[in-house]
Amino acid sequence: MTDGSGLVALVDDDADLLHATTQLLELAGFTVVALDAAEAALAVVDRNFEGVVVSDIRMPGMNGLQLFDRIKAIDSDIPVILVTGHGDVDLAVAALKDGVYDFIPKPYAGDRLVEALKRASEKRRLVMENRRLREAAAQAADGLPLIGEALAIRRLRETLRQIADMDVDVLVEGETGTGKEVVADLLHRWGRRRAKPFVALNCGALPETVIESELFGHEAGAFTGAQRRRIGRIEHSSGGTLFLDEIESMPPALQVKLLRVLETRSVTPLGSNETRRVDLRVVAATKVDLGRQDQRGDFREDLYFRLNVVTLRIPPLRERRGDIPMLFGHFLGKAAERFGRPVAKVNAAVSDHLQSHAWPGNVRELAHFADRVALGLGPEDEVRAVSAHSPEPAATLPERVGHYEAQLIRDALREHGGDVRGAIDALGVPRKTFYDKLKRYGIAASEFRNGGDPDTQPFRGQI
C-alpha cells in the first residue's frame, strides 16, 4: 500500500469500525479526526477545512446524506465520500449526481478507500491552493503586495497594521528591490492619513541644487528661475505621509534642515521668513544600515536617531526563498493580464533559474523576470525563451508552484545535509508548515544526509 497524505474527518457510529479504519488510514499516512456522530463533524468542518470527509450513511440522529447536505452548504468543494451498506447503494448513486465525491459499498478493501482518499485529497489541495493564489492576487490588487508566508514577512504585515495609525516616524531598511516604497504606501493607506497625500521623493535622484526647493518649497523670486511660488513636498504632505527614499543620499547641509523640521514640525520655504506648521509623518527608506558607522558615511547620527523611532527591516528574497513560487506565480499572472496573453507555460529552464538564481535585485528583479517569461523572452545565458516544444512539467499554476516549492525544499535540505532545522531557517517557514510540505511532496529529509542526492530519482511527491 502506497503512502497517502492529507486530513480526513472520519464519521461512523460503530466504535470498532471507526477505530479499525482510523488505524488503516493513519498507516497509509493520513491525519485522521475520528468522530462518532455527524453532528460532531460539523464542529470541525468549515470553509477552511483542508481535508476530506468520510461518513457512513446510516447513523442515529443526522445520517450521512444529511451531513453531506450541510457540508455542501458550507463549502461545495469539500470532497465527501459515503460508506454504504448494500441497501443504500441506490441512495449513494443519487448522491453522486448531487455532488458526493465517491461512495464505497461495504464490505470494502482498505486499498479502495485509501485510493479514493488520495484522489479526493489531491482535489481538495488544488482547490485550496488556487484559493490562496486568488486571495494573494486580490490582496495585491487591493493594496497588499507584500505576498509571502515567510515568518519575517508575516510579522512585517502585522507590524504595519499595528503602527499604521500611530503618528510616529518610521525608518525602513532593505536592499534594492525589496519593496521599501510598498511598505511606506501601505503604512499610509492602512492608517487614518490615507485621505491626505502620499508624497514621495527620492533623495538620490535629484541634484543638490534642486532637492532643497523640492522639499521646502520657495517663494517667487527666491532664486534665478523661481518665477512662481511653489509648495514644497514637506508642506504638501501635511496631514498625509512624506516618503523619503534613499535618505542616506541626502546632502549633509539638507540633513540639518530636515532635522529641524522633524523637531519643530514646521517648515520655512526658500525666500520666506514665514514658518508654517505641518502635520507631518515621515517614512524614510535606506538600503544601508544607518546604525553602523562604517555604512552611515556622512549621514548625521542625530538625524538617524530622530528618524529611528520605529525601524522596519524588509528581508531580501534570498532569505525567504520559500516565497519565490507564490511571488512568481502572482507576477506571471499579472504580466499575462497586462500583455493580453495567456499565462505562459513554464519550462525546465525557467524552473531551474527560479531555484538557483541569487536574485540580487530581489522582488523587483523577480517581477521583471516574470515579464520576460510572459513574453517568451530572456537572455540566453539566463533562461531560454518559453517554447511550444519545451517540456511542460505541469499544466496549471498551482502545479507549477508545487514543482518550484518542492525543488526549493530539496535544495535547502541538500545544502544543509538533510538537517531539518537548518532547512527551516533557510526557507523561513514555520516548522509545522515545513513538515506538511515534506509529506505533500513525498520528500524524506533522511535521504539528503551523508551526501545523498534523491534528485537522481524520479519525482514521487504530490503536486
Side-chain angles (χ1 to χ4, degrees), residues 86-97:
H86 179 71
D88 299 322
V89 171
D90 289 343
L91 288 174
V93 171
L96 281 176
K97 297 177 182 178

Side-chain angles (χ1 to χ4, degrees), residues 351-363:
S351 178
D352 289 345
H353 186 71
L354 288 171
Q355 297 152 16
S356 61
H357 188 57
W359 301 108
N362 293 293
V363 176

Side-chain angles (χ1 to χ4, degrees), residues 214-280:
E214 285 290 323
L215 271 177
F216 296 94
H218 62 258
E219 296 296 323
F223 52 85
T224 302
Q227 298 178 354
R228 298 180 183 176
R229 178 174 179 264
R230 176 184 174 88
I231 299 296
R233 303 287 183 98
I234 295 174
E235 189 174 356
H236 181 53
S237 73
S238 186
T241 303
L242 175 65
F243 174 57
L244 299 177
D245 198 7
E246 296 190 29
I247 189 74
E248 73 276 8
S249 302
M250 180 174 283
L254 216 54
Q255 294 177 33
V256 178
K257 295 185 177 183
L258 177 61
L259 179 60
R260 179 166 178 78
V261 169
L262 295 177
E263 290 174 341
T264 65
R265 258 36 190 185
S266 62
V267 62
T268 303
L270 296 177
S272 171
N273 294 320
E274 179 187 357
T275 298
R276 300 170 188 164
R277 299 289 297 175
V278 286
D279 175 12
L280 188 62

Side-chain angles (χ1 to χ4, degrees), residues 11 13 35-45 55 59-64 66-67 70:
V11 189
D13 65 314
L35 306 161
D36 60 5
E39 292 83 357
L42 293 175
V44 299
V45 174
S55 176
M59 294 181 294
M62 184 185 297
N63 64 36
Q66 292 170 324
L67 175 61
R70 295 285 295 275

Side-chain angles (χ1 to χ4, degrees), residues 10-302:
L10 179 64
V11 189
D12 202 315
D13 65 314
D14 185 327
D16 292 336
L17 187 57
L18 182 65
H19 178 70
T21 307
T22 298
Q23 286 189 319
L24 166 73
L25 297 181
E26 287 179 342
L27 286 172
F30 292 95
T31 301
V32 181
V33 179
L35 306 161
D36 60 5
E39 292 83 357
L42 293 175
V44 299
V45 174
D46 58 19
R47 183 170 170 78
N48 295 318
F49 181 69
E50 298 271 354
V52 182
V53 177
V54 178
S55 176
D56 193 12
I57 285 187
R58 292 191 180 273
M59 294 181 294
M62 184 185 297
N63 64 36
L65 291 171
Q66 292 170 324
L67 175 61
F68 163 67
D69 287 337
R70 295 285 295 275
I71 291 174
K72 184 178 178 181
I74 294 170
D75 183 352
S76 60
D77 288 323
I78 296 176
V80 176
I81 297 175
L82 296 178
V83 179
T84 67
H86 179 71
D88 299 322
V89 171
D90 289 343
L91 288 174
V93 171
L96 281 176
K97 297 177 182 178
D98 199 30
V100 165
Y101 181 80
D102 200 356
F103 77 92
I104 300 177
K106 296 178 181 177
Y108 56 83
D111 283 346
R112 169 76 172 85
L113 177 59
V114 168
E115 288 305 314
L117 275 170
K118 287 169 66 175
R119 293 193 303 272
S121 295
E122 177 64 7
K123 176 186 176 183
R124 184 60 177 168
R125 187 189 70 78
L126 289 174
V127 166
M128 298 304 286
E129 198 78 63
N130 273 295
R131 281 184 188 172
R132 282 189 284 267
L133 287 170
R134 286 196 300 270
E135 287 168 2
Q139 287 174 332
D142 193 37
L144 182 54
L146 280 177
I147 298 172
E149 290 304 314
L151 181 59
I153 291 297
R154 287 190 282 119
R155 285 179 174 171
L156 179 58
R157 286 197 296 259
E158 292 170 3
T159 303
L160 291 176
R161 291 284 189 191
Q162 291 169 1
I163 68 173
D165 269 333
M166 298 180 183
D167 281 330
V168 293
D169 296 328
V170 178
L171 184 63
V172 183
E173 296 180 351
E175 295 179 5
T176 298
T178 50
K180 296 185 287 295
E181 185 164 358
V182 167
V183 166
D185 185 58
L186 290 179
L187 275 172
H188 176 73
R189 286 192 288 113
W190 285 352
R192 62 176 180 80
R193 293 175 171 267
R194 58 183 170 272
K196 296 293 185 176
F198 175 82
V199 180
L201 179 70
N202 189 317
C203 300
L206 295 175
E208 187 172 349
T209 54
V210 173
I211 190 172
E212 183 173 6
S213 173
E214 285 290 323
L215 271 177
F216 296 94
H218 62 258
E219 296 296 323
F223 52 85
T224 302
Q227 298 178 354
R228 298 180 183 176
R229 178 174 179 264
R230 176 184 174 88
I231 299 296
R233 303 287 183 98
I234 295 174
E235 189 174 356
H236 181 53
S237 73
S238 186
T241 303
L242 175 65
F243 174 57
L244 299 177
D245 198 7
E246 296 190 29
I247 189 74
E248 73 276 8
S249 302
M250 180 174 283
L254 216 54
Q255 294 177 33
V256 178
K257 295 185 177 183
L258 177 61
L259 179 60
R260 179 166 178 78
V261 169
L262 295 177
E263 290 174 341
T264 65
R265 258 36 190 185
S266 62
V267 62
T268 303
L270 296 177
S272 171
N273 294 320
E274 179 187 357
T275 298
R276 300 170 188 164
R277 299 289 297 175
V278 286
D279 175 12
L280 188 62
R281 188 197 198 170
V282 174
V283 180
T286 175
K287 59 179 179 290
V288 301
D289 185 353
L290 294 176
R292 292 180 50 178
Q293 189 172 3
D294 60 326
Q295 294 190 23
R296 191 163 59 235
D298 58 6
F299 193 83
R300 294 180 62 94
E301 187 177 33
D302 51 0

Side-chain angles (χ1 to χ4, degrees), residues 395-454:
T396 68
L397 181 57
E399 289 173 335
R400 295 199 299 271
V401 167
H403 278 290
Y404 304 149
E405 193 169 56
Q407 190 57 50
L408 289 169
I409 291 171
R410 291 192 184 90
D411 291 345
L413 286 169
R414 184 182 300 107
E415 183 179 347
H416 292 86
D419 177 59
V420 170
R421 180 178 296 178
I424 288 173
D425 290 343
L427 292 172
V429 296
R431 190 177 191 84
K432 183 181 183 303
T433 300
F434 183 79
Y435 279 109
D436 288 345
K437 292 182 185 299
L438 289 184
K439 181 180 287 188
R440 176 186 298 176
Y441 300 128
I443 300 172
S446 59
E447 295 181 3
F448 291 84
R449 295 172 189 146
N450 301 319
D453 189 2

